[in-house]
Amino acid sequence: VTGKRKIDEELLEELEELLISGDVGVETSIHILDNIRTRVKKEKYQTSEELDSLILDEVKRLLDFDPLNLPPTKPCVILVVGVNGTGKTTSIAKLTNYYKKQGKTVLLAAADTFRAAAIEQLVTWGERLDTDVIKHHANSDPAAVVFDACSAALSRKTDVLIIDTAGRLHTKVNLMSELEKIYRIIQRQIPDAPHETILVIDAGNGQNAINQAKEFIKASKANSIFLTKLDGTAKGGVVLGIKRELGIPVRYIGVGEKADDMELFDPVEFVEGLFE
Amino acid sequence: DLTGKLESVLRNLRGYGKLTEKNIAESLKEIRKALLEADVNYKVVKDFIQSVQDRSVGENVLKSVTPGQMIVKIVNDELIKLLGTSTTQLKSAGIPPSIIMITGLQGSGKTTFCAKLASFLQSRGRKPLLAALDVYRPAAIQQLRVLGESLKVPVYDEGIGDPVKIGFNAVSDARRKLCDTVILDTAGRLHIDEQMMRELVNVKNRVRPHEILFVADGMTGQDAVNTAKEFAEKLDYDGVVLTKMDGDTRGGAALSIRAVTGKPIKFIGTGEKADAIEQFHPDRMASRILG
Ligand SMILES: Nc1nc2c(ncn2[C@@H]2O[C@H](COP(=O)(O)OP(=O)(O)OP(=O)(O)O)[C@@H](O)[C@H]2O)c(=O)[nH]1
Ligand SMILES: Nc1nc2c(ncn2[C@@H]2O[C@H](COP(=O)(O)OP(=O)(O)OP(=O)(O)O)[C@@H](O)[C@H]2O)c(=O)[nH]1
Ligand SMILES: [Mg+2]
Ligand SMILES: [Mg+2]
């Protein structure tokens, strides 16, 4: 990380620049640097390697998470939400591919009935992945699509139902209440559902992603983050702030535009990328 | 709010004396924090704070305004200066059609902006044609077709083909249809994807657009300088569009991109519909960034 052997103001400034340049944000960077200072006072270390591993470990600790214990009952319902253009529909293709490779049956719901050709986009992915898509016509009620998809998943005894929703800015009250309605419909039809609400965040987004997370947790109990476009140069450091302030972890990352361009989140790799 | 914070930091400076490096140090820290929280790039903030310090030190503290108000005014003025002028001027052809190429990263809002630009030009009596050069994204061509239909704007596409050829043939199609503007929608791509960046350069060299715009997501953080700079080096685009500004993003990317590339921000996207396009106003952007 630093090639340095002792903590001094110059090193801390360098670390701060690295963290902020990675979109970690001011408050969370200060928090991390304070933790490092405290730990360095307590622990003895000799080499720059030891100092490096202390720093990496301190940041990685913030990202550790427990697995979601998804129930064995069918269907497992996954609701996918987020602001416009983050990669929701593409990430659903990746998750479909992931679950099918595990031998699970998957059903998709095209509940973005608003954006031009959104239904066609998901249908194309469904065809490529040999997966059925429940859909209505454009501009129909998304809640009706969700209702039908839940019924279909129940009657077909599908393993995994993944619901695609329209991109929406978290500041749009009517769109967020539409999402709350979709959530309630799922709850009513299938016990304990949705089992996972995935908030899709673009690694290029800055501190606004914290506001996004706040509102999507409120409206749809988001409990997982899918961090996309990490194949670019953006580091996605804002997820540290989201974890620290709101408690939800990254579980999946997107590293490209193809159906297999997904990885399960590895905190060690992520932190190493942050300090590159 | 920043003025309030600076007021309390500077309250013992009222009514007398000069601003010095020492007595404004705390205020500069607050301003730096506000800009970083607004997603302005780390290095851009460093340079900006230096310029504010240079302009502030030596200033007399007047009786009529508080030191906090003075500094905020200096910061605001410096921001507006740096953000540049307000213009929606698009280069056009001596002999039609004018060709406008729309570029940017994945999901930034290019296809939606193409529709907005078509609507903007239509309302000014122009006759645009939309061209579908995104041959990669599933249903990208359908997306442009649906948008074109709703605006009664013709869409040229060749399905999955060579974007360079599609762009070239779209211009011939525009001439046939007596359209005076061609808007080229291109696929989203990473600035570090050499092959895809070369494709854009090939389209530029073959189709020869009069105007190239870089479309950036208004929520972009520190990475804005990397993408904007690389696209500028490869394409030397004429202007920037900042999208999704109808949310609560502070929009620091505007300052970062402008400071690092010098390119003007020409349009703001303020919604998903075809009329949600606005001219960029540096003064409004400055107060938004400062929060
Ligand atoms: N490079 C890269 N591109 C991605 C990744 N994930 C998605 N994309 C691209 O991002 C763009 C937007 O993806 P979509 O899946 O349409 O995003 P969305 O969130 O569903 O968009 P809306 O429904 O319009 O809100 C597409 O061009 C995708 O190919 C990723 O991990 N890496
Ligand atoms: N709220 C809001 N949404 C926008 C704005 N501009 C675009 N969008 C939405 O952002 C999402 C992505 O827009 P697209 O036009 O598909 O983006 P793109 O850059 O063409 O995406 P790719 O072709 O995959 O790179 C869609 O859901 C749009 O409706 C805007 O100014 N405000
Ligand atoms: Mg989508
Ligand atoms: Mg597009």
Side-chain angles (χ1 to χ4, degrees), chain B residues 248-261:
Chain B
D248 59 0
T249 180
R250 297 263 293 274
L255 186 63
S256 307
I257 293 174
R258 173 72 184 167
V260 161
T261 66

Side-chain angles (χ1 to χ4, degrees), chain A residues 13 16-17 20-21 23 26-27 83-85 114-117 120-121 124-125 128 167 169-172 175 202 204-208 211-212 229 231-234 257, chain B residues 32-33 36-37 39 42-43 46 106-107 136-139 142-143 146-147 188 190-192 217 219-223 226-227 244 246-250 270-273:
Chain A
E13 236 189 82
E16 187 202 50
E17 178 165 356
I20 292 188
S21 302
D23 282 317
V26 177
E27 293 295 338
V83 302
N84 308 70
F114 167 74
R115 205 209 68 210
E120 286 82 342
Q121 185 184 4
T124 304
W125 276 117
R128 287 184 187 181
L169 291 184
H170 51 291
T171 47
K172 311 241 153 136
L175 297 182
D202 186 329
N205 273 192
Q207 298 309 300
N208 191 254
N211 295 3
Q212 296 171 24
K229 309 178 198 172
D231 46 321
T233 52
E257 304 192 65
Chain B
R32 174 181 179 271
K33 186 162 183 283
L36 289 174
E37 287 173 343
D39 291 324
Y42 189 89
K43 294 207 172 68
K46 220 174 186 175
Q106 289 91 343
Y136 307 98
R137 170 173 152 154
Q142 280 105 307
Q143 185 183 7
V146 170
L147 292 171
L190 294 177
H191 54 301
I192 53 173
D217 190 321
M219 301 179 271
T220 309
Q222 298 288 314
D223 197 48
N226 299 329
T227 61
K244 308 175 201 173
D246 42 321
D248 59 0
T249 180
R250 297 263 293 274
T270 55
E272 298 194 67
K273 302 221 171 76

